[in-house]
Amino acid sequence: MRRSLSGIQPSGVLHLGNYFGAIKQFIENQDKYEGFYFIADYHSLTSSPDPKSLRENSYNIVLDYLALGLDPEKATIFLQSDMPEHAELAWILSNVTPMGLLERAHSFKDKTAKGIAANAGLFTYPVLMAADILMYDPDIVPVGKDQKQHLEMTRDIAMKFNLQYEKERFKLPEPGILESLAVVPGTDGQKMSKSYGNTIEMFASKKNLKKQIMSVVTDSTPLEDPKDPDNNITILYKLFASEEKVEEMRQKFMAGGYGYGHAKNELLEAVLEYFKEAREKREELAKNPEYVEAVLKKGAEKARKIAHKKITLVKETVGLLGNMYKK
């Protein structure tokens, strides 16, 4: 079976962008690929998170994965920080990675342009991401459209290593992007992102979920007037409703007498219905932390075996003596 791998940073609560941009693919591919899905807690350190929040966010992502339908019998779920081999491989790969490649990274340029203080971790983020991926030789990496450049950089780093040492040590993975769902708009119309504070969370309480949806930006067209049928609400509604339902909403907008508040309430009901089973399952999982911990332990054990084998091979390839005298 071909292998799929991806990770999500525990930098906050997961939202619709995370689900439609990546997690939905994880779940749909469970019978098609051998899945490796990790919580990228090392990566989140670039923003110096509060330790308590980091632990809670990491645990909550595992709950979300399981509630949404990721099956630990089919997929390997683990914490990045349980794999010290990732950091080892990142250091080795950093020595074949050109500075110019890192300077072109969109994530680094975008964050510094927004005034976010740059640290070395933020700058070398793509190298650790490359290590995360190349460690497991995946065939496909489900990513959001905004992460496509980082995967291309991963391929560049792998090719550089293979060429420098004249050995095919790393497979070149392909991105798995659903173009129609690659970028989910946030409440302000921009790409949904925790960094922008414009998210809609599938597991928020009904009260908070309603508050988030009601904050979706619209114009000031009066209730009785016709409105643009392809507004922010309709775009989000398409993710949950049938084509017939979406067209029905569009027609109501064009006819007039249909307010944005009406549409937001329809969107709220659609989101609640779509995630109804997952929300109920998550409540049950939250009562059983021992099971969640067992899933992580099992995932770490499986991933560690692969990671240990790969880092041993890479160390021998670059000439590090440690692996040799231990034989």
Side-chain angles (χ1 to χ4, degrees):
M1 186 179 287
R2 299 177 74 209
R3 183 173 291 171
S4 169
L5 176 140
S6 194
I8 290 181
Q9 279 197 53
S11 54
V13 179
L14 294 188
H15 52 76
L16 299 184
N18 298 130
Y19 176 73
F20 286 105
I23 301 172
K24 189 171 185 285
Q25 293 185 66
F26 301 173
I27 297 162
E28 291 175 346
N29 286 337
Q30 286 187 107
D31 294 317
K32 185 178 179 182
Y33 295 100
E34 178 190 18
F36 282 73
Y37 302 115
F38 63 93
I39 289 75
D41 46 357
Y42 275 152
H43 281 297
S44 66
L45 295 177
T46 61
S47 59
S48 303
D50 169 69
K52 183 174 181 291
S53 296
L54 176 57
R55 285 189 288 270
E56 289 178 352
N57 290 339
S58 298
Y59 182 79
N60 283 331
I61 288 178
V62 182
L63 282 180
D64 292 350
Y65 274 175
L66 297 173
L68 289 166
L70 207 57
D71 185 348
E73 296 302 316
K74 297 179 180 179
T76 302
I77 304 169
F78 62 99
L79 295 171
Q80 182 188 31
S81 58
D82 276 343
M83 303 292 126
E85 293 87 352
H86 287 220
E88 286 189 86
L89 182 56
W91 172 250
I92 293 172
L93 294 178
S94 69
N95 293 285
V96 300
T97 304
M99 286 280 289
L101 185 67
L102 300 181
E103 289 170 345
R104 292 193 294 274
H106 294 323
S107 61
F108 176 74
K109 292 195 294 184
D110 290 348
K111 289 181 179 178
T112 52
K114 288 181 170 63
I116 298 174
N119 53 38
L122 180 61
F123 185 69
T124 58
Y125 174 104
V127 184
L128 180 55
M129 182 174 174
D132 297 332
I133 295 169
L134 299 176
M135 185 72 77
Y136 302 95
D137 290 322
D139 298 283
I140 185 171
V141 180
V143 291
K145 200 171 184 178
D146 59 320
Q147 287 289 326
K148 186 177 179 181
Q149 187 205 37
H150 279 161
L151 187 58
E152 291 169 348
M153 294 170 75
T154 293
R155 289 168 56 89
D156 289 342
I157 292 169
M159 286 189 285
K160 184 76 162 53
F161 186 96
N162 291 344
L163 285 170
Q164 181 165 320
Y165 291 98
E166 299 181 339
K167 295 182 185 298
E168 293 297 316
R169 290 296 180 241
F170 299 115
K171 182 181 291 187
L172 304 185
E174 296 292 335
I177 299 175
L178 290 176
E179 292 295 336
S180 61
L181 301 175
V183 177
V184 176
T187 55
D188 58 359
Q190 298 186 76
K191 180 180 79 74
M192 189 175 291
S193 170
K194 293 182 284 285
S195 302
Y196 301 153
N198 64 355
T199 62
I200 296 174
E201 302 160 7
M202 49 265 186
F203 293 119
S205 67
K206 186 174 180 179
K207 179 180 177 181
N208 287 336
L209 184 60
K210 182 174 182 177
K211 183 178 180 181
Q212 292 168 1
I213 290 175
M214 288 300 170
S215 70
V216 173
V217 173
T218 55
D219 59 36
S220 56
T221 304
L223 171 64
E224 62 275 9
D225 291 355
K227 300 167 185 65
D228 178 2
D230 298 312
N231 54 64
N232 293 334
I233 304 169
T234 314
I235 294 170
L236 286 167
Y237 192 60
K238 287 178 181 178
L239 300 173
F240 305 98
S242 65
E243 290 184 10
E244 292 76 15
K245 283 286 187 181
V246 172
E247 185 56 29
E248 185 180 314
M249 179 179 281
R250 294 181 76 257
Q251 291 299 325
K252 285 189 285 189
F253 272 127
M254 289 188 288
Y258 179 70
Y260 292 120
H262 297 130
K264 289 176 181 180
N265 279 319
E266 287 191 46
L267 174 59
L268 172 62
E269 292 307 314
V271 174
L272 287 171
E273 180 60 29
Y274 188 93
F275 291 110
K276 181 181 178 181
E277 290 186 15
R279 288 167 68 90
E280 292 172 352
K281 185 176 180 181
R282 194 183 190 283
E283 288 182 8
E284 292 303 312
L285 286 166
K287 299 173 186 176
N288 191 0
E290 294 81 9
Y291 172 72
V292 178
E293 291 166 10
V295 167
L296 284 175
K297 182 179 179 182
K298 179 182 177 182
E301 289 172 350
K302 182 176 179 180
R304 193 75 187 274
K305 289 178 182 178
I306 298 170
H308 178 72
K309 184 177 180 180
K310 174 63 76 173
I311 197 65
T312 299
L313 181 62
V314 170
K315 283 181 175 180
E316 291 177 355
T317 300
V318 302
L320 294 174
L321 191 60
N323 292 306
M324 301 178 73
Y325 72 72
K326 292 176 184 176
K327 292 181 178 178

